[in-house]
Amino acid sequence: MSAAWQRDGYEAVIGLEIHVQLDTASKMFCGCPNRYGDEPNTNVCMVCLAHPGAMPVANAEAVRQSTRVGLALGCRIPESSEFSRKQYFYPDSPKAYQISQYDQPMCGEGSFRVPGEGGFEIRITRAHLEEDAAKMIHAGGDAGRISGSAGSVVDFNRVGTPLLEIVTEPDIRSPEQARRFLTLLRATVIAIGASECDMEKGSLRADANVSIRPIGADEYGTKTELKNMNSFRFLERGIEAELERQLAIVAAGDRVQQETLHFDPATGTLSPLRSKEEAHDYRYFPEPDLLPVTQDAAQLQTVAAALPELPVARFERLVAAGLPEATALLLATEPELARYYDDLAERTGDAKIAANWVMGELQAHLKDRGIEADASPVTPERLAGLIALVVDGTINQTAAKEVFAALVEDDAITAQAVVEERDLAQVGGADALGEIVDAILAAHPDEVEAFRGGREQVIGFLVGQCMKQSGGRADAKALQALLRERLAG
Amino acid sequence: MQLTPDEVRHVAALARLGLDDAEVDRLGRELTGILGHVATISALPIADVPPTKHARDTTDALRVDETRPCATREDALRNAPDPAPDGFRVPPIGA
Amino acid sequence: MDVLGLTAERAMGMLRARECSAEELAQAYLDRIAAHDGEIHAYLHVDPERTLAAARAQDASGADGLSGVPIAYKDLLSTKDVPTTAGSRILDGFVPIEDADVVARGNAAGLVSLGKTNLDEFAMGSSTEHSAYGVTRNPWDRTRVPGGSSGGSAAVVAGGLAPWALGTDTGGSIRQPAAFCGLVGLMPTYGTVPRFGVIAFACSLEQVGPMALTVRDAALLQQVIAGRSPRDATSVDLREPIALPEAGRLDGLRLGVPRAELESGVDAGVLARFEESLAIARGLGAETVDVELPHARHGLAAYYVIAPAEASANLSRFDGVRYGLRVDAPDVRAMYEATRDAGFGPEVKRRIMIGTYALSAGYHDAYYVQAQRVRTLIRRDFDAAFAGVDAIVLPTAPTPAFEIGARLDDPLSMYANDIFTLPVNLAGIPALSIPNGLVDGLPSGLQVIGPAFAENLLLRIGAAVEAELGFDPVPPGLRGGA
Ligand SMILES: [Mg+2]
Ligand SMILES: [Zn+2]
C-alpha cells in the first residue's frame, strides 16, 4: 500500500514540521479572543501590538492541550519546560521576537504509529508551544491609498494564537506516507479536542523537509524546506514534485541547494522563497517575563486519564471486531462517523452489519446531503430499528433500502411504521408463496420442461417472475426452496 | 580582542541599526573596550555552575483561559505612523 | 502655601485635616514647577489642567488615606492618554492606551499626577545625560548630574517640585540618584512590584520603587504599589505587609560590611560618611561585622552582558510599524534601519550592540550563559552572607554627584558608578538608600541591603539611622524661595 518512494537507486527522506493552532478561548499570552475571521485589528491589545511595557502571561489551557497532544504522540513530557525568545525582524512579528521554546519544550521525543497494511512508525523529535504571527495583507488588500507603492497592511488579530509545533524525525519515506501520517495526526488532535485542524483556515499547517539519498545510505542528502502545502493533496503532490526535481538535479550531476520552496498548487510547481536575512541567527534566550512550566507525574497521569479513545486505538478495536481495515481506518479518522457507528453497533449488537449500513446507505445519504453523521435525520436509534426488521426477516434487502429512504424523507416516522404503511413485510409463508409459485409454473410450461430437461439455470428466471409477482416482497431463500420442491415433484 | 568594522556591521545588521561609517568606527572602539572588560568573566572556570535564568525560583504563573476586553481599533491604530483604515501600513518587503 | 520640603505624610495630614485642598496643594506644586523646572529640567511632561482636574476629583470624592497627595512618575511608566517617551526620540508623541499597574494603583489610592519625569533613554544610564530631551540638573549643584536613570524623579523631589516620585531600578537607577540628590530610595525585592506597563529595559533585573524625602514616605508609597498583579507573571505577593517604620534602636541586629569592596575607587569623603553611619548604627545597638562577597567584583561584567542582552530584544519592537517614530524608506528593512538609527541615542545603540553581540551565534555561551553563571555565584554570595548577618551595608555610590559631561565619553567609568548597586539587581534582593550626610556640600548615600522580602527590616534600619543623622533633604540653595 504505502511503499517507500524509490527511483533510480535513490530513496526519499522526509520530515514534517506541523503547526497546530490550539483551540483556546483566549490567546497564548493575553486575554484577547482566539477567533478566526473577525474584522482586522479588533482582537488586539497592548500585548498583541507589543506596546512598550506589555507583558505576556501564559495560557493554562494551551499548556494542558499541548500536554494532551504530546501524550497522544507518545512524547516524553519533561517535568519542567520553559519559554524562550526567538528573534527576527518582520512586520508580522510585533516584538521582533516570537515567544517560543528552545532547549526545554513542552513535549520531548516520542513516536507515532500509523497502523494497518503498509503501516509504519514515525519518531517525533519534539513538540513545543509558541505564538502565531500576524497576517500581512499584501497590496491590493491595501485599501484607501491612491499612490500605488505596493506595500502591505498588517492585521494583528492572529498574532498570539497558541501554536503547537510538532517536529518529526526524517523517518517518512514517501509522499503517501507523509499524507497518511498527517491524516492520522490530524484525526488524533481533533479527537483530543485541541484544534479543529482546518487546513483552509490555517489551523493546521505543514512544512516538509525533503531530501533524497542513495538507497541504504546512512547520511542524509541536502534538504529543502517546502511551505504552503495547505491541503493533504498538495502536501503529497508538493513532496512528489520536489523529489522528482531533486532526482533530476542529481541525475544531471548537479548538487541540490539548501533552500526554502513555495508550492504553487495551481501549477504544481515549486518556487524559491526569499529567505529572511540572518534567519540563521535567532539569538534565542530564556523569556525573562515568563516562569518555567512544571508538571509532575501525578498531574500528567490525571491529564492522560482524561484522554478520549484515540484514532489508532479505535482502528485496532474495529479491526479486532472484524471490520475490514479500510472501514476501520475511515471510522478511525472520522470522529463524527465513528461516534455514529459506535452507537449503532451497540444498539444492533452486530459490528459488521452496523459497519455495512454506515459504509453503505448512510454514507451515500450523508454525501448526498453534504452533512455530518450527527446531523442526519436517520439517527442510530431509527436505523437500528430498521436493521432489526431485516435481521428478524420481517423485510428483505430491497424493502430495507426503501424503508431507509423513507426514514430520510420523514424524520418522525419509524421503520416499523413504514413497513406497515407500505405493506413491505416479506411474503415467506409456504401457502402464500405456494399460490404465487403455482401460478408462475402454470404460466411457463416451457421453462418448467426445460428445467426438468436439465437446464438448471432456468430457475433464475422463474425466481425472478415469482419475485415480481410478489412485488419484491418474497423471501428469496424460501422462494428458491419451494420452487425446487415443486419442480422436483 | 578588537572588533573589526565588518563584525560591527554584522551585529548592527542583526539589530537593524543603520549605522554610518563614523558610528561603525566609534562603536567598534567602544565595544572593544566594554567587551574587553566583560571578557574578564569569560575565563572563569565555572562551567559547572548552573546559569541563573530567572530572577526568582518560582514557577507556573499561568493564566486561566478567559477572554478580556480588547483595545478598540481606534486605540490600536491611534499611534500608527502610517495607518490604513483597518490596519498598519508597511513599505514593501522589498528585494 | 510653601511646599518646599513637604513630606507626603505631612501633605496627607494637611489634606485629611482640611488644612488645604488637593487642588490648592497641586496648584502650589504647579507654581513651583512653573518657576523652577526651567533650570532643573526634571519634567518631560506637565499638564496643569489635567492635574488640577484630577485634584478636584479627589477633593470631590471625599476619599481618605492618600487621596489628593501629588506624585511624579518616571517617564518609563505608561500613563493612559498621557505622552510617554522613555526619554527616547523613537517614542516621540507616543500615547499609551493603558496605565502601568503601578500608575493604576497610584490612581486607585487617589494620588494626583504632577507629570512625567526625565530619565536616561530607556533607563540606560547613571546621569540622565542620555535623555533625548536634554539633561536634568542636580538641585544641590546645577553643574552636576542628578544621577540616573531616575534622575528626573530624584530632581523633582529634591527640588520641591513633587513630594515624592516613582522611579525604576535596573542596576541602581533609584538608589544612585536618590544618593546624589539627598533622598530615600527603595529598590524592592524582585517581583514584589508589578512591571506591566513599565517600558522594559532588562526584565530580569528591574523593579519600580519609591523615591522620597523620608523613609516613612518611602514605606507609605511602597504600600501603594507592592503586591502581585495578574498582568505580570513574575510578580509575587509580599510575605508581610509593608509597615510604617518608627525610629528606634537596632539592638541585636548584625550588619555586614563587605570591606574588600571598599578598598579601591571609593571617594574618601563618601567613605568617611559611611564609617560615621556605621558608628551611629553601633550606637543604636547594632553589631557591624565584616562579610565577603567574593564574586561581587564580577557583577559589573555580568551585568553588562545580561542587561544589554535582554535590552537588545526588548528594544527590537521599536520598528516604526505600530507606534513611535518612522523614517520612510522604499522597503521594510531600510525603514527599520533608518528608523532605529534616527530614533535611538548613542548609549542605547551601544547597549543594543553589546547585547546583540553577546547573544549572537558563537558568543552566546561565552558571554550570555557565562554571565548567568556569575549571576548564580553572586546570588550565592549574598545567601551565604545573610546566613551570618541581618543586612549588608555599603555606600550607595562610590562618589557624590559628578559634573555634567564628566563621564559622557567614557562608558566604562559611567558604568563603574553602579558597582555597589548592580549586584543587588543580579541577586533580585531589596536595598534601601538613605541620605548619608554631605561630602563637600553634596549628598552621599548609605545603602542597606537585605535578603528577599526583608523590606520591613531595611525600612526599620533606615528610619533609625535617618533619625540619628537628622539630615535636611532641602538643598540650601532652595531655601528662601530660590
Ligand atoms: Mg515555529
Ligand atoms: Zn491581546
Side-chain angles (χ1 to χ4, degrees), chain B:
Chain B
M1 176 223 42
Q2 176 72 41
L3 248 72
T4 69
D6 282 351
E7 286 175 303
V8 174
R9 285 197 186 84
H10 169 69
V11 176
L14 282 174
R16 297 295 187 271
L17 287 173
L19 304 179
D20 57 38
D21 292 353
E23 278 180 303
V24 169
D25 181 62
R26 181 175 54 77
L27 280 164
R29 275 182 282 104
E30 290 170 351
L31 264 56
T32 300
I34 296 163
L35 292 169
H37 175 76
V38 163
T40 55
I41 59 170
S42 317
L44 297 175
I46 53 174
D48 55 330
V49 177
T52 294
K53 294 179 173 183
H54 299 276
R56 301 216 62 76
D57 301 330
T58 49
T59 62
D60 298 293
L62 300 178
R63 181 176 60 81
V64 178
D65 182 26
E66 293 166 346
T67 58
R68 308 171 86 263
C70 300
T72 62
R73 183 190 277 167
E74 185 192 8
D75 268 353
L77 291 172
R78 176 177 182 174
N79 287 285
D82 187 4
D86 59 354
F88 301 80
R89 225 182 250 108
V90 291
I93 295 309

Side-chain angles (χ1 to χ4, degrees), chain A residues 24-27 30-31 33 40-41 44 57-61 82 89 104 142-143 145 150-154 156 274 278 283 287 290 292-294, chain B residues 10 13-16 53-54 58-63 65-68 70-71 73 76 79 82 84-95:
Chain A
T24 53
S26 64
K27 291 186 181 182
C30 71
N41 293 300
V44 296
V57 183
N59 184 335
E61 177 64 7
E82 142 189 304
F89 282 86
Q104 293 186 48
D142 186 359
R145 176 182 256 187
S152 317
V153 171
V154 191
F156 290 93
R274 271 191 66 264
E278 287 89 25
R283 288 160 288 139
E287 168 57 85
L290 292 169
V293 177
T294 63
Chain B
H10 169 69
L14 282 174
R16 297 295 187 271
K53 294 179 173 183
H54 299 276
T58 49
T59 62
D60 298 293
L62 300 178
R63 181 176 60 81
D65 182 26
E66 293 166 346
T67 58
R68 308 171 86 263
C70 300
R73 183 190 277 167
N79 287 285
D82 187 4
D86 59 354
F88 301 80
R89 225 182 250 108
V90 291
I93 295 309

Side-chain angles (χ1 to χ4, degrees), chain A residues 27 30 32 44-45 47-48:
Chain A
K27 291 186 181 182
C30 71
C32 292
V44 296
C45 68
V47 176
C48 299

Side-chain angles (χ1 to χ4, degrees), chain A residues 139-357:
Chain A
D142 186 359
R145 176 182 256 187
I146 315 94
S147 76
S149 80
S152 317
V153 171
V154 191
D155 169 13
F156 290 93
N157 281 354
R158 190 181 68 178
V159 91
T161 300
L163 277 186
L164 185 65
E165 178 176 342
I166 302 162
V167 183
T168 78
E169 291 292 305
D171 291 351
I172 300 169
R173 289 290 169 268
S174 74
E176 192 218 349
Q177 279 190 356
R179 195 203 72 236
R180 280 181 69 183
F181 169 79
L182 192 61
T183 306
L184 200 59
L185 178 78
R186 174 177 182 271
T188 304
V189 174
I190 291 174
I192 287 168
S195 171
E196 62 176 6
C197 292
D198 183 331
M199 288 183 105
E200 259 87 76
K201 294 182 186 172
S203 57
L204 174 67
R205 314 198 283 265
D207 302 337
N209 295 313
V210 178
S211 65
I212 59 174
R213 67 177 174 190
I215 295 170
D218 294 337
E219 65 284 355
Y220 298 122
T222 307
K223 69 180 180 192
T224 55
E225 190 179 1
L226 274 60
K227 292 194 174 294
N228 188 47
M229 295 167 295
N230 59 355
S231 82
F232 289 93
R233 237 178 68 256
F234 294 163
L235 176 77
E236 203 169 357
R237 281 177 49 199
I239 296 173
E240 186 71 50
E242 175 56 9
L243 288 169
E244 298 296 349
R245 192 187 70 91
Q246 291 188 13
L247 195 61
I249 292 174
V250 173
D254 297 333
R255 313 174 85 261
V256 174
Q257 299 303 319
Q258 173 138 22
E259 59 185 331
T260 302
L261 299 163
H262 183 279
F263 178 68
D264 178 357
T267 63
T269 58
L270 300 150
S271 49
L273 270 184
R274 271 191 66 264
S275 62
K276 293 172 186 172
E277 288 96 330
E278 287 89 25
H280 57 279
D281 194 349
Y282 288 123
R283 288 160 288 139
Y284 280 97
F285 73 97
E287 168 57 85
D289 283 337
L290 292 169
L291 305 175
V293 177
T294 63
Q295 303 187 88
D296 60 29
Q299 288 168 295
L300 286 177
Q301 268 174 10
T302 323
V303 176
L307 285 175
E309 181 188 43
L310 299 173
V312 174
R314 190 185 296 139
F315 173 87
E316 278 158 351
R317 174 170 61 83
L318 296 178
V319 169
L323 269 52
E325 278 197 356
T327 306
L329 189 65
L330 181 90
L331 291 174
T333 51
E334 291 194 13
E336 284 307 336
L337 203 58
R339 213 166 291 124
Y340 188 104
Y341 164 82
D342 285 338
D343 189 345
L344 185 64
E346 182 171 357
R347 291 172 184 277
T348 59
D350 186 323
K352 286 189 187 144
I353 292 182
N356 290 337
W357 276 92

Side-chain angles (χ1 to χ4, degrees), chain A residues 35-197:
Chain A
R35 200 164 51 218
Y36 174 87
D38 287 4
E39 281 297 297
N41 293 300
T42 52
N43 294 338
V44 296
C45 68
M46 272 180 72
V47 176
C48 299
L49 298 170
H51 273 208
M55 294 181 72
V57 183
N59 184 335
E61 177 64 7
V63 168
R64 192 181 73 94
Q65 290 296 10
S66 41
T67 307
R68 283 159 61 87
V69 174
L71 289 168
L73 299 181
C75 291
R76 181 181 57 83
I77 309 294
E79 273 209 358
S80 175
S81 71
E82 142 189 304
F83 293 101
S84 291
R85 294 181 177 182
K86 178 184 183 180
Q87 305 191 61
Y88 69 94
F89 282 86
Y90 208 69
D92 68 3
S93 175
K95 299 182 294 296
Y97 57 82
Q98 175 194 37
I99 301 178
S100 182
Q101 299 190 291
Y102 185 50
D103 50 4
Q104 293 186 48
M106 285 296 308
C107 312
E109 61 285 352
S111 166
F112 191 65
R113 195 162 43 83
V114 178
E117 187 190 348
F120 52 96
E121 183 148 346
I122 302 300
R123 287 169 300 154
I124 306 296
T125 312
R126 59 186 275 155
H128 66 258
L129 197 47
E130 59 187 25
E131 56 181 338
D132 207 343
K135 260 214 180 72
M136 312 252 305
I137 307 149
H138 292 284
D142 186 359
R145 176 182 256 187
I146 315 94
S147 76
S149 80
S152 317
V153 171
V154 191
D155 169 13
F156 290 93
N157 281 354
R158 190 181 68 178
V159 91
T161 300
L163 277 186
L164 185 65
E165 178 176 342
I166 302 162
V167 183
T168 78
E169 291 292 305
D171 291 351
I172 300 169
R173 289 290 169 268
S174 74
E176 192 218 349
Q177 279 190 356
R179 195 203 72 236
R180 280 181 69 183
F181 169 79
L182 192 61
T183 306
L184 200 59
L185 178 78
R186 174 177 182 271
T188 304
V189 174
I190 291 174
I192 287 168
S195 171
E196 62 176 6
C197 292

